[in-house]
Amino acid sequence: MSFTTRGFSGRRRQPETRLPPGQTLVEKWPVLSAGPTPVVDTADWELTIQDETGTDHRWNWDELIALGVEDITVDIHCVTHWSKLGMAWRGVSLDKLFEHVGSRHQYVMAHSHGGYTTNLPLEDLLGGKAWIAIEAEGRPLHPEHGGPARLLVPHLYFWKSAKWIRGLTMMPGNDPGFWERYGYHIHGDPWQEQRYR
Amino acid sequence: MPRHLDGNALAGVLSEVFTADVTAARARCGNCGNTAPVAEAMVYPDAPGLVARCVRCNHVLAVVVEAGDRLVLSLAGLDTLELRAPRA
Ligand SMILES: [Zn+2]
């Protein structure tokens, strides 16, 4: 039995209906930075998920890759009103990482090299909706775009896709991250136009 | 590298908050204590808001976000801001 029919896949959304409200299509990929670009070598790279017991679940670069790298094609939507459609990425699903983490907490703070933070409900990171991205458009992720690895959560505004990701910390409540403290929406769904709180 | 401007980039938006010219004020970094005119801070404009950083230690001194119909200003990274009274 299949739920996918030829008719369904043939009715792909046209570009104009793939644009959330208030967004404009771009071809180039703008660089948005709130500070200098950290230099992170994959030889020293490590990702940590900290649960409520204080236990750190750690992966180095090779361990991350060994979890399985997927091809991902997604549209991205930046809160500064640009959208880029059909971007080709490669990365490791967060489902693979969270298989190894037992936590009762339902919220996550993402931490980046350089001090950036952003908050997300755990449910937005699971179910094939989020990745640790290591390649974009056929190349290793450039440091200006968050390389060697960034969070990729394409169904939310792109500020949630934290560049230079270094860790995730489980939280009992939905505490605000960097931009969320300064007026941006706590969740950031582009289809609901959740730009500001 | 991402571009950054100097602290004069804050003048327009901060004139909505302060009556004095804040870019001429002296700011003391809450992290390293470096004291310098706001105009000398590094301001990163290519982000969802303006982020001003300390020239010495890179600490975030101030953030300004124009969030729809509201202006959100954080000076949490600043220890002190010293404004000089205009001469009579
Ligand atoms: Zn400083």
Side-chain angles (χ1 to χ4, degrees), chain A residues 31-37 78-80 114 144 159 178-179 181-184 196-197, chain B residues 1-2 44-51 53 58 60 63 65-68 70 72 74:
Chain A
V31 173
L32 269 74
S33 282
T37 302
C78 179
V79 74
T80 62
E144 282 195 339
W159 89 76
F178 184 82
W179 291 118
R181 279 203 300 281
Y182 304 135
Y184 282 93
Y196 312 114
R197 64 165 179 250
Chain B
M1 292 297 281
Y44 288 81
D46 298 320
L50 290 172
V51 178
R53 290 177 179 268
N58 209 32
V60 176
V63 180
V65 170
E66 291 180 272
R70 290 168 307 139
V72 180
S74 169

Side-chain angles (χ1 to χ4, degrees), chain B residues 29-34 54-59 61:
Chain B
C29 172
N31 183 53
C32 77
N34 187 54
C54 173
V55 282
R56 191 209 267 172
C57 78
N58 209 32
H59 183 64
L61 299 175

Side-chain angles (χ1 to χ4, degrees), chain A residues 32-163:
Chain A
L32 269 74
S33 282
T37 302
V39 178
V40 185
D41 194 322
T42 54
D44 310 321
W45 188 88
E46 188 176 66
L47 183 78
T48 304
I49 301 181
Q50 186 178 73
D51 65 24
E52 60 267 39
T53 69
T55 303
D56 285 338
H57 304 264
R58 297 167 183 276
W59 294 265
N60 65 24
W61 189 259
D62 292 340
E63 289 164 344
L64 177 82
I65 304 301
L67 292 174
V69 180
E70 301 174 10
D71 291 311
I72 309 144
T73 302
V74 288
D75 301 341
I76 61 173
H77 309 293
C78 179
V79 74
T80 62
H81 297 278
W82 58 263
S83 290
K84 193 162 161 52
L85 304 184
M87 279 193 81
W89 296 77
R90 282 171 59 73
V92 177
S93 170
L94 283 178
D95 294 308
K96 295 268 179 64
L97 292 152
F98 275 97
E99 273 175 23
H100 304 274
V101 180
S103 174
R104 303 169 76 89
H105 287 171
Q106 293 303 306
Y107 299 95
V108 177
M109 187 70 82
H111 295 269
S112 298
H113 292 278
Y116 181 75
T117 56
T118 190
N119 60 292
L120 299 123
L122 181 60
E123 63 178 20
D124 282 295
L125 296 180
L126 301 180
K129 296 197 292 287
W131 296 266
I132 301 294
I134 58 166
E135 288 181 27
E137 301 184 315
R139 263 171 271 155
L141 201 53
H142 192 280
E144 282 195 339
H145 288 299
R150 76 181 295 162
L151 202 55
L152 176 63
V153 192
H155 70 284
L156 299 178
Y157 281 124
F158 209 42
W159 89 76
K160 296 286 186 180
S161 295
K163 300 202 267 190

Side-chain angles (χ1 to χ4, degrees), chain B residues 20-41:
Chain B
D21 175 12
V22 175
T23 61
R26 293 179 69 77
R28 185 171 192 275
C29 172
N31 183 53
C32 77
N34 187 54
T35 304
V38 170
E40 291 176 13

